C-alpha cells in the first residue's frame, strides 16, 4: 500500500506581514495618484488643454467605476433620495470641480509645487473644522500648519523667480482644488459611514464623469474627442487606470489593513515621488530650496497625522 502524502500546511500571513503588505499598498497608491500631475504635464506637450485632459481621464475611468457602482446597486439596499442628492453634490464638488481646477493649475506651475499645495488638504480640513464647526485645535496642530505652510511658501517663492507671473494663477487654481476637496472630505464623513466608502466613491466618480462630458460638449466640438494624436489617448488611459482607479482602491484596501492614520502617513511619499518624477520625466529642476520646502511640508503633515492617532 502506497504511503499517504501529507497535505501541505496552509501558510497564513503574520500580523506584521499583513501590516507591511498594507503599507506597501498605501505607498504604491500614493505614488500612482501623485503621477497624475506628471501625466497631465506630458499631455500638455501635445497642445491639449485641461478640458481635454480631464474629459479623457474620466471617459476612460468611467466604465470601471460604473461597473463597481452597478455591482453595489444590485447587492445593497437602494439609497434614500436625500443621499442620492448628497452624492451628486459631493461628486461635483469633490471630483469634478477639484480635478478640473487641479488640471487647470498644472498648465502654469510645476508638478512638484502642485503636489505640495494639494498635500495641504488635511490642514484645510482642520481649518474648516475649526472656523465652521468650532473644533478645538491643539498647539501641535497649529505648529504643523505653520511649518507646512512655510515650506509651501518657500517653494512658491522659488517658482516665482523661475516660472513667471502665471505661477500665482496656477497656485491659486490648485489651492481652489485643495479647498474643494477639503469640503468634500468634511461633508462626506457621515455619508461614508451610512453608504460605504466603495459605493460612495464609485457613485461620485460616475457623477463627475457625466459632468466632465457635459462640460466638454458645451465647450468643445464632439469631433475633438476622436482627432487627438495617439500618445494623448495612451497617456489618458494610463491616467485613468493607474492614476485614478487603481490608487482609489489600493488606498481603500490599505486603510482597511493598517488604518487611516498610517495610510495617511504613507501618503507622505507622494510629494517626494512627484518631485523626482518631474525631474526625470519633465526635466523640472530639483534645487535645495525645493527640497527644504518639501521637507517642511512633509514634517508638518507628519505632525498632523501623529496628532490624529
Amino acid at each position: 500500500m502506497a504511503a499517504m502524502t501529507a497535505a501541505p500546511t496552509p501558510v497564513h500571513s503574520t500580523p506584521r506581514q499583513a501590516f507591511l503588505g498594507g503599507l506597501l499598498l498605501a505607498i504604491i497608491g500614493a505614488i500612482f495618484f501623485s503621477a497624475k500631475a506628471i501625466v497631465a504635464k506630458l499631455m500638455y506637450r501635445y497642445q491639449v488643454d485641461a478640458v481635454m485632459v480631464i474629459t479623457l481621464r474620466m471617459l476612460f475611468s468611467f466604465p470601471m467605476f460604473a461597473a463597481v457602482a452597478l455591482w453595489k446597486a444590485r447587492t445593497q439596499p437602494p439609497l434614500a433620495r436625500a443621499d442620492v442628492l448628497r452624492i451628486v453634490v459631493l461628486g461635483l464638488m469633490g471630483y469634478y470641480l477639484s480635478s478640473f481646477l487641479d488640471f487647470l493649475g498644472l498648465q502654469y506651475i510645476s508638478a512638484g509645487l502642485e503636489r505640495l499645495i494639494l498635500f495641504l488638504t488635511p490642514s484645510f480640513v482642520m481649518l474648516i473644522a475649526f472656523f465652521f464647526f468650532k473644533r478645538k485645535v491643539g498647539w501641535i496642530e497649529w505648529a504643523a500648519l505653520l511649518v507646512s505652510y512655510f515650506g509651501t511658501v518657500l517653494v512658491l517663492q522659488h517658482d516665482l523667480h523661475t516660472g513667471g507671473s502665471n505661477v500665482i494663477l496656477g497656485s491659486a487654481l490648485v489651492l481652489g482644488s485643495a479647498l474643494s476637496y477639503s469640503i468634500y472630505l468634511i461633508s462626506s464623513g457621515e455619508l461614508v459611514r451610512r453608504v460605504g466608502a466603495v459605493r460612495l466613491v464609485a457613485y461620485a466618480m460616475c457623477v463627475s464623469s457625466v459632468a466632465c462630458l457635459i462640460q466638454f460638449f458645451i465647450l468643445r466640438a464632439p469631433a475633438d474627442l476622436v482627432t487627438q494624436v495617439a500618445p494623448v489617448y495612451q497617456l489618458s488611459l494610463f491616467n485613468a487606470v493607474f492614476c485614478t482607479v487603481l490608487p482609489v482602491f489600493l488606498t481603500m484596501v490599505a486603510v482597511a489593513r493598517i488604518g487611516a492614520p498610517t495610510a495617511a502617513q504613507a501618503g507622505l511619499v507622494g510629494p517626494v515621488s512627484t518631485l523626482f518624477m518631474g525631474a526625470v520625466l519633465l526635466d523640472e529642476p530639483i534645487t535645495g530650496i525645493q527640497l527644504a520646502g518639501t521637507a517642511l511640508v512633509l514634517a508638518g503633515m507628519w505632525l498632523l497625522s501623529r496628532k490624529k492617532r
Side-chain angles (χ1 to χ4, degrees):
M1 184 174 179
M4 297 182 62
T5 303
T9 304
V11 178
H12 299 285
S13 61
T14 65
R16 177 170 176 77
Q17 289 173 330
F19 175 83
L20 292 176
L23 187 62
L24 180 62
L25 291 177
I27 291 172
I28 294 172
I31 292 173
F32 274 124
F33 187 72
S34 299
K36 71 181 176 67
I38 306 297
V39 174
K41 299 287 275 189
L42 290 172
M43 289 180 69
Y44 289 147
R45 294 178 175 179
Y46 295 96
Q47 308 306 311
V48 298
D49 60 6
V51 173
M52 180 63 71
V53 171
I54 191 173
T55 300
L56 289 175
R57 177 200 188 202
M58 302 311 295
L59 188 63
F60 281 120
S61 64
F62 175 72
M64 292 171 271
F65 285 116
V68 175
L70 184 61
W71 166 55
K72 287 293 183 180
R74 289 182 172 180
T75 57
Q76 294 188 355
L79 295 175
R81 184 174 298 179
D83 285 341
V84 172
L85 181 60
R86 291 188 185 98
I87 289 174
V88 170
V89 173
L90 290 176
L92 294 175
M93 176 68 69
Y95 291 108
Y96 163 68
L97 180 60
S98 177
S99 294
F100 185 52
L101 291 174
D102 183 29
F103 286 128
L104 276 177
L106 273 168
Q107 294 180 117
Y108 307 109
I109 64 175
S110 67
L113 178 57
E114 177 261 4
R115 182 49 38 187
L116 281 186
I117 295 173
L118 287 183
F119 208 68
L120 296 176
T121 297
S123 67
F124 296 152
V125 171
M126 185 193 80
L127 289 174
I128 293 171
F130 175 76
F131 285 109
F132 294 98
F133 299 99
K134 308 304 179 185
R135 177 185 174 272
K136 292 184 178 180
V137 176
W139 69 268
I140 292 181
E141 293 168 296
W142 285 120
L145 197 70
L146 291 174
V147 169
S148 58
Y149 281 22
F150 180 72
T152 303
V153 169
L154 198 62
V155 176
L156 178 60
Q157 185 71 18
H158 170 272
D159 281 27
L160 278 173
H161 285 95
T162 59
S165 58
N166 283 335
V167 170
I168 292 293
L169 173 60
S171 299
L173 289 168
V174 177
L175 185 67
S177 171
L179 287 172
S180 174
Y181 195 67
S182 300
I183 295 171
Y184 162 79
L185 289 175
I186 284 185
S187 304
S188 64
E190 181 184 348
L191 197 58
V192 167
R193 290 188 290 271
R194 189 163 59 250
V195 174
V198 174
R199 194 180 190 186
L200 175 59
V201 169
Y203 286 5
M205 289 299 285
C206 288
V207 170
S208 177
S209 299
V210 172
C212 288
L213 287 172
I214 291 173
Q215 172 187 260
F216 181 85
F217 290 122
I218 291 174
L219 300 176
R220 300 284 185 273
D224 289 348
L225 273 179
V226 294
T227 55
Q228 304 301 316
V229 296
V232 169
Y233 298 115
Q234 293 164 357
L235 288 167
S236 296
L237 184 60
F238 185 92
N239 198 10
V241 176
F242 293 101
C243 304
T244 306
V245 178
L246 184 63
V248 165
F249 291 109
L250 282 178
T251 302
M252 285 181 180
V253 174
V255 168
R257 290 189 179 185
I258 63 178
T262 306
Q265 282 183 282
L268 292 170
V269 76
V272 178
S273 67
T274 303
L275 196 64
F276 287 98
M277 283 190 288
V280 173
L281 299 174
L282 304 174
D283 295 322
E284 292 183 351
I286 299 179
T287 66
I289 292 177
Q290 286 176 312
L291 291 173
T294 300
L296 287 172
V297 173
L298 295 180
M301 293 302 99
W302 181 81
L303 283 172
L304 204 56
S305 64
R306 295 290 294 178
K307 179 64 179 178
K308 289 181 179 180
R309 278 182 177 272

